[in-house]
Amino acid sequence: MSTPELHQRSNNLRVRCLDLDTLDKPIALLRKDSPVCRSEGFDAHARVRLESLHDTVIATLFQTGSELLAPDEIGLSTAAWRALQVRDGQQIHVSHPKPLESISSVRGKVYGRALRACEFGAIMRDVVHGRYDDIQLAMLLTAIAARALDDDELFGLTDAMVGVGERLDWDVPMRLDKHCVGGLPGNRTTPLIVAIVAANGLVIPKTSSRAITSPAGTADTMETLAPVSLTLGHMQRVVEREGGCVVWGGSVGLSPVDDLLIRVARVMDLDAEAQLVASVLSKKVAAGSTHLVLDLPVGATAKLRSREDAERLGERLRSTAARFDLTAEIVISDGRQPVGRGIGPALEARDLLAVFQGDPDAPRDLADRALSLAGVLLEFGGKAEPGDGVRQAARTLESGAAWQKFQAICEAQGGLREPPKASRTEVVTAAHSGCVTHFDNRRLSRVAKLAGAPGAPAAGLELHVHLGDEVRAGDPLYTIHAETAGELGYAREFAGNNGDIIQTEADR
């Protein structure tokens, strides 16, 4: 604002921080008898525009009849407080937000009208500025899911998501990247791939997500080994120095609207193909990637249930990426069982360290998946002849060069550290003898989440068997790790009521 004065004093209120954690949702609280509520006709759950001397935010309003607040006070959630940059007792201006014109475009899509690029741009600008509430976001997501986007619309959505966030610019001609569409516990190949690729002199500035519905995201796992919440400048310095990084994408502002959409889609249990494609590619385009390898695991309890689903999604990803001059290679992989042994941030980090350090007991499946994907990137970058990428990746890992590079990346990000260990464990054993024939990835992930992952970094579970293993009754199938007795109890109870999470021949 140009002056220290706010608008008409009748709509100015003194602020109080309520220390209310609403994640990224700005919330405001007013007394029912507040003069502003009466003069403006604000009802509970109204959208209000809050303006301080520093910034403006759109918040959802709730009301109270208690004396928690004075009539001339407004309480703010932590998210609103931080956005407005205020202190207790300072004044802010409260008013109605401007009419949300872009919602008419969303309504048109509900009735089957194709959206133009300019309409996607207006929608995404309104979303990122907080003008859409959760109901309106749900309306947008439903329209995208129910009225499939054509190729032009998908490009328009992706481009609009890129346009409302930061965009990285690198002074090198080739920037490599990797992404997995998810749904497979323990599939934490990214740190291995980044280290292998960077050790070969290529540039791979990797931004990763935190867990959405899983027991660990790549950023959660990496955070047990090194800091991941870097500023944009710090991230760029790490990449300039070491050729690669593994940082949390949310800290550098890439495609910020994606996190807002994912939060609502998760509650709706909605997984629209167009949203997935736009989510993945908007972050890669914003990160400045030129070449990308995409891992699409297929399995009965993975996100993609059939090879046909994976091929269709892969083609959509590849063709949309090409419109951004982004070369994408699709790898359809086995998603029938978890990867490695650990499920949960610290346990997955220990698997990574075992692979990096050449431990003879390191999970071979994790190493093999990482080598296959890194091999594609090495061939992209000209560091391996066609067909020799996996062998070059293996040489880099076995020589110790990848481990040295990973340590250097961690130091550049703030220092390598030891993953924590849980204070409580309990073993889940086989009820019958036989050959392991099936994993329910989703319910196995739920055991890890009930144990406290990813909020408790040391929590999760450690697998002792894989498909094809012979077990006897009483043999350990997996060990639950937890940091509190209560969380261990929740996980143990769920595991006990779902004895077929890991099935043997005798169970089927």
Side-chain angles (χ1 to χ4, degrees):
M1 296 181 61
S2 58
T3 73
E5 295 297 322
L6 290 168
H7 298 277
Q8 56 184 18
R9 294 187 179 277
S10 62
N11 274 30
N12 291 351
L13 295 170
R14 293 184 295 117
V15 297
R16 278 183 57 189
C17 180
L18 299 180
D19 196 21
L20 181 64
D21 184 1
T22 57
L23 296 178
D24 57 357
K25 259 183 99 170
I27 297 293
L29 184 67
L30 280 175
R31 276 178 49 155
K32 292 180 180 178
D33 61 353
S34 165
V36 172
C37 281
R38 290 198 299 268
S39 66
E40 296 293 337
F42 290 139
D43 295 321
H45 214 266
R47 300 286 282 169
V48 294
R49 184 177 186 269
L50 309 178
E51 186 177 3
S52 72
L53 295 175
H54 302 286
D55 213 335
T56 300
V57 69
I58 306 297
T60 301
L61 176 68
F62 291 91
Q63 296 181 342
T64 178
S66 77
E67 296 185 358
L68 172 68
L69 299 170
D72 67 339
E73 286 185 322
I74 183 168
L76 300 181
S77 68
T78 304
W81 185 265
R82 288 175 178 167
L84 292 172
Q85 305 173 54
V86 287
R87 296 192 302 271
D88 272 327
Q90 287 186 330
Q91 288 195 337
I92 63 172
H93 185 75
V94 186
S95 61
H96 287 279
K98 295 178 181 178
L100 186 60
E101 296 181 359
S102 69
I103 197 69
S104 62
S105 298
V106 178
R107 192 175 298 111
K109 184 62 181 174
V110 169
Y111 288 102
R113 183 176 65 79
L115 294 178
R116 303 186 304 274
C118 61
E119 291 176 296
F120 276 119
I123 292 167
M124 291 302 121
R125 285 191 295 273
D126 283 339
V127 171
V128 81
H129 286 112
R131 298 183 186 118
Y132 275 55
D133 63 20
D134 284 357
I135 294 174
Q136 291 162 329
L137 288 174
M139 179 179 171
L140 170 62
L141 290 167
T142 302
I144 291 172
R147 301 288 190 178
L149 303 190
D150 63 28
D151 291 345
D152 288 338
E153 288 180 296
L154 182 52
F155 173 78
L157 171 61
T158 307
D159 194 43
M161 290 173 67
V162 174
V164 294
E166 297 287 346
R167 191 161 182 172
L168 303 184
D169 185 24
W170 304 99
D171 192 23
V172 288
M174 179 178 286
R175 288 87 62 187
L176 303 173
D177 211 333
K178 167 264 174 188
H179 185 81
C180 176
V181 299
L184 196 57
N187 192 17
R188 208 56 58 215
T189 58
T190 292
L192 291 162
I193 293 167
V194 168
I196 291 169
V197 170
N200 278 274
L202 297 171
V203 174
I204 180 165
K206 185 73 179 76
T207 62
S208 297
S209 301
R210 295 193 184 277
I212 300 169
T213 59
S214 67
T218 296
D220 302 307
T221 296
M222 185 66 185
E223 196 167 40
T224 69
L225 295 166
V228 296
S229 295
L230 276 57
T231 64
L232 190 58
H234 189 177
M235 174 188 170
Q236 289 175 317
R237 289 192 296 274
V238 173
V239 176
E240 288 168 1
R241 174 174 152 184
E242 301 299 340
C245 66
V246 183
V247 305
W248 175 44
S251 66
V252 292
L254 301 182
S255 191
V257 73
D258 186 48
D259 293 332
L260 302 174
L261 296 177
I262 285 174
R263 176 178 57 80
V264 175
R266 177 179 58 192
V267 175
M268 297 173 68
D269 195 20
L270 194 64
D271 197 12
E273 180 182 276
Q275 184 201 344
L276 188 156
V277 172
S279 171
V280 171
L281 295 182
S282 64
K283 290 180 177 178
K284 303 310 174 188
V285 173
S289 304
T290 60
H291 293 75
L292 169 67
V293 61
L294 289 156
D295 180 15
L296 277 56
V298 174
T301 57
K303 182 175 289 188
L304 297 170
R305 306 296 180 85
S306 70
R307 188 173 184 88
E308 291 73 23
D309 290 342
E311 288 173 347
R312 183 180 66 251
L313 176 62
E315 181 52 38
R316 205 94 202 269
L317 284 160
R318 187 188 295 109
S319 61
T320 306
R323 296 183 67 170
F324 291 96
D325 294 324
L326 173 57
T327 301
E329 179 75 17
I330 308 300
V331 176
I332 298 176
S333 59
D334 185 353
R336 295 176 298 159
Q337 63 179 329
V339 180
R341 298 193 189 97
I343 300 175
L347 292 165
E348 294 175 17
R350 293 186 182 281
D351 279 353
L352 287 170
L353 292 176
V355 174
F356 271 126
Q357 295 170 3
D359 187 324
D361 292 327
R364 188 67 244 175
D365 58 340
L366 175 62
D368 288 343
R369 292 177 80 97
L371 293 175
S372 68
L373 297 168
V376 174
L377 295 175
L378 294 179
E379 292 178 23
F380 269 151
K383 297 297 180 178
E385 295 296 323
D388 195 49
V390 173
R391 282 190 291 273
Q392 176 59 23
R395 286 191 287 268
T396 307
L397 182 62
E398 292 162 5
S399 69
W403 172 228
Q404 291 177 353
K405 175 56 71 175
F406 183 71
Q407 292 176 86
I409 289 171
C410 289
E411 289 301 326
Q413 289 188 197
L416 179 65
R417 51 202 183 200
E418 182 75 13
K421 291 184 178 180
S423 58
R424 293 171 170 83
T425 61
E426 183 155 331
V427 178
V428 176
T429 60
H432 310 284
S433 299
C435 176
V436 176
T437 56
H438 177 75
F439 282 83
D440 190 318
N441 290 313
R442 298 187 179 202
R443 286 190 291 165
L444 204 57
S445 292
R446 188 167 181 194
V447 174
K449 289 191 289 184
L450 287 170
L461 60 87
E462 182 182 4
L463 285 176
H464 303 302
V465 297
H466 284 86
L467 288 175
D469 288 352
E470 292 287 342
V471 297
R472 294 185 178 185
D475 282 354
L477 296 176
Y478 55 93
T479 300
I480 302 170
H481 292 241
E483 295 184 11
T484 69
E487 288 170 327
L488 182 63
Y490 296 142
R492 181 178 58 231
E493 181 181 3
F494 181 81
N497 292 333
N498 291 268
D500 59 344
I501 291 176
I502 298 177
Q503 296 180 12
T504 62
E505 263 180 351
D507 297 318
R508 290 179 71 88

